[in-house]
Amino acid sequence: MLWIMKFSGLFSAALVIIVLSPSLQSFPPAEAIRSSHLDAYLRFPTSDSPPHRLSFRKAPMFRNAADCAAADIDSGVCNPSLVHVAITLDFEYLRGSIAAVHSILKHSSCPESVFFHFLVSETDLETLVRSSFPELKFKVYYFDPEIVRTLISTSVRQALEQPLNYARNYLADLLEPCVRRVIYLDSDLIVVDDIAKLWRTRLGSKTIGAPQYCHANFTKYFTPAFWSDERFSGAFRGRKPCYFNTGVMVMDLERWRSVGYTEEIEKWMEIQKNDRIYELGSLPPFLLVFAGEVAPIEHRWNQHGLGGDNVRGSCRDLHPGPVSLLHWSGSGKPWFRLDSRRPCPLDTLWAPYDLYGHSR
């Protein structure tokens, strides 16, 4: 059980109460296998990767509760009882990804039933994952940066231009056809609730589900050139578009594949290269394709913006309401701020899930 009370800013009282039900849990043997699915997407580099210097502590063992469905360790990725979670792995954000996995397992009632799909553009990262989670069920998928390199345009922040940031667009191609649904999560977040609750989201006729923010100024996500040209702005005709953050999504991959949404997103990225219709990385193409056609999810599942804005990375408060997931979207990341000894108040909520370094 967990509750988080409002954690106020630097100039007001801060109070967080976290109560975690103690449960010694575990999960089945690791399945760190590079997928051979679709060579165009999964081609590994031939040169050896440079040796890494990162070190992570081993996480506690986490086991299913008594009422969980039996987890058949030999059934593999196609087991229909699994909860599928996709996260990117790279050296710069690996510390965040490891903390995210740790948080998911710690608060899951059935951690043995969670299968992780790790998207990488660098090799040898699975060894670091296994050092912290030796029995984790996971699979590693190589995403070739060349798939999107010519489609990426400059953004307000260089991190948003990294090819791996666009791997979410290709999940329907990267993951096995038997994986019909997946939760996509960014690397700069922690989950403080049972991930199975998010997994059970009803999408209805929609392809993706996400917390939406219909009071946000939607026009700011696109340039004046976009809004002044009916060829572009007409994409929202007949829709009531709302902002949503693509760092937390429940995705119906079966429907995605049947419609061909990857190609639709690529089409808008190609237009962007010529006409500069937005400024912000991988988000706007998702808004163009899906805004107004998103299954709503409670805001508690993406308390986003905790990394501040995309320039200064200033400290932020929690949004009003309950919390199931805290997301440090923006330029400020908790591990960098903690290491610099200039953390924001909410960064202390991320710290207990950090497994970086040797045992203390």
Side-chain angles (χ1 to χ4, degrees), residues 269-330:
M269 293 176 70
E270 290 170 354
I271 291 173
Q272 161 73 355
K273 294 288 288 187
N274 296 320
D275 294 278
R276 197 64 185 177
I277 58 176
Y278 55 81
E279 304 287 351
L280 192 64
S282 62
L283 170 64
F286 261 86
L287 296 178
L288 284 160
V289 173
F290 293 110
E293 297 293 338
V294 176
I297 293 176
E298 287 184 273
H299 289 174
R300 67 189 300 153
W301 284 104
N302 196 353
Q303 285 269 350
H304 68 289
L306 303 184
D309 60 31
N310 280 307
V311 179
R312 295 182 299 274
S314 53
C315 295
R316 295 270 180 92
D317 266 354
L318 290 175
H319 306 293
V323 181
S324 293
L325 184 151
L326 297 99
H327 187 186
W328 279 262
S329 56

Side-chain angles (χ1 to χ4, degrees), residues 101-305:
V101 172
H102 187 197
S103 70
I104 291 168
L105 296 172
K106 188 165 189 174
H107 297 288
S108 175
S109 60
C110 303
E112 290 179 282
S113 300
V114 182
F115 194 104
F116 290 90
H117 304 264
F118 293 124
L119 312 176
V120 306
S121 290
E122 301 163 284
T123 58
D124 296 335
L125 291 174
E126 64 265 32
T127 303
L128 290 170
V129 173
R130 224 181 348 245
S131 69
S132 286
F133 310 105
E135 298 186 25
L136 188 69
K137 296 177 73 172
F138 71 94
K139 192 167 183 177
V140 174
Y141 304 77
Y142 181 76
F143 177 72
D144 186 354
E146 298 306 316
I147 296 295
V148 291
R149 200 178 299 281
T150 60
L151 293 172
I152 297 173
S153 56
T154 57
S155 182
V156 295
R157 183 159 57 92
Q158 188 174 6
L160 301 177
E161 301 171 21
Q162 299 305 310
L164 195 60
N165 199 39
Y166 293 82
R168 73 195 83 188
N169 303 1
Y170 298 88
L171 279 169
D173 298 314
L174 290 167
L175 273 55
E176 290 78 359
C178 65
V179 180
R180 299 180 177 182
R181 168 183 283 222
V182 70
I183 298 171
Y184 175 81
L185 298 177
D186 274 351
S187 300
D188 53 357
L189 55 76
I190 56 172
V191 177
V192 292
D193 202 345
D194 191 347
I195 195 72
K197 296 177 184 178
L198 183 59
W199 176 254
R200 291 194 291 266
T201 296
R202 295 183 178 181
L203 298 182
S205 62
K206 309 303 183 186
T207 302
I208 65 171
Q212 299 182 90
Y213 303 88
C214 294
H215 296 296
N217 180 8
F218 192 80
T219 60
K220 71 178 183 180
Y221 296 102
F222 301 93
T223 64
F226 172 87
W227 293 112
S228 63
D229 193 326
E230 178 65 19
R231 292 177 302 161
F232 307 142
S233 60
F236 294 122
R237 190 185 301 112
R239 291 195 266 166
K240 295 181 179 179
C242 295
Y243 164 77
F244 64 95
N245 180 282
T246 56
V248 179
M249 295 185 291
V250 179
M251 307 171 69
D252 184 332
L253 298 182
E254 192 170 34
R255 184 175 287 116
W256 183 296
R257 293 174 183 123
S258 66
V259 176
Y261 282 118
T262 296
E263 290 74 18
E264 291 193 27
I265 290 174
E266 287 181 333
K267 179 193 73 173
W268 284 111
M269 293 176 70
E270 290 170 354
I271 291 173
Q272 161 73 355
K273 294 288 288 187
N274 296 320
D275 294 278
R276 197 64 185 177
I277 58 176
Y278 55 81
E279 304 287 351
L280 192 64
S282 62
L283 170 64
F286 261 86
L287 296 178
L288 284 160
V289 173
F290 293 110
E293 297 293 338
V294 176
I297 293 176
E298 287 184 273
H299 289 174
R300 67 189 300 153
W301 284 104
N302 196 353
Q303 285 269 350
H304 68 289

Side-chain angles (χ1 to χ4, degrees), residues 4-67:
I4 297 183
M5 298 177 64
K6 179 66 185 290
F7 200 90
S8 59
L10 288 172
F11 301 104
S12 59
L15 176 63
V16 175
I17 300 177
I18 301 180
V19 179
L20 302 175
S21 60
S23 56
L24 295 175
Q25 305 176 331
S26 180
F27 27 86
E31 190 180 346
I33 307 168
R34 294 189 179 104
S35 174
S36 60
H37 178 57
L38 290 177
D39 290 344
Y41 295 115
L42 308 182
R43 189 174 63 255
F44 276 81
T46 55
S47 59
D48 293 334
S49 299
H52 57 73
R53 298 180 181 179
L54 296 175
S55 174
F56 292 91
R57 301 189 305 280
K58 184 178 176 181
M61 302 282 282
F62 298 94
R63 295 194 182 279
N64 276 3
D67 58 348

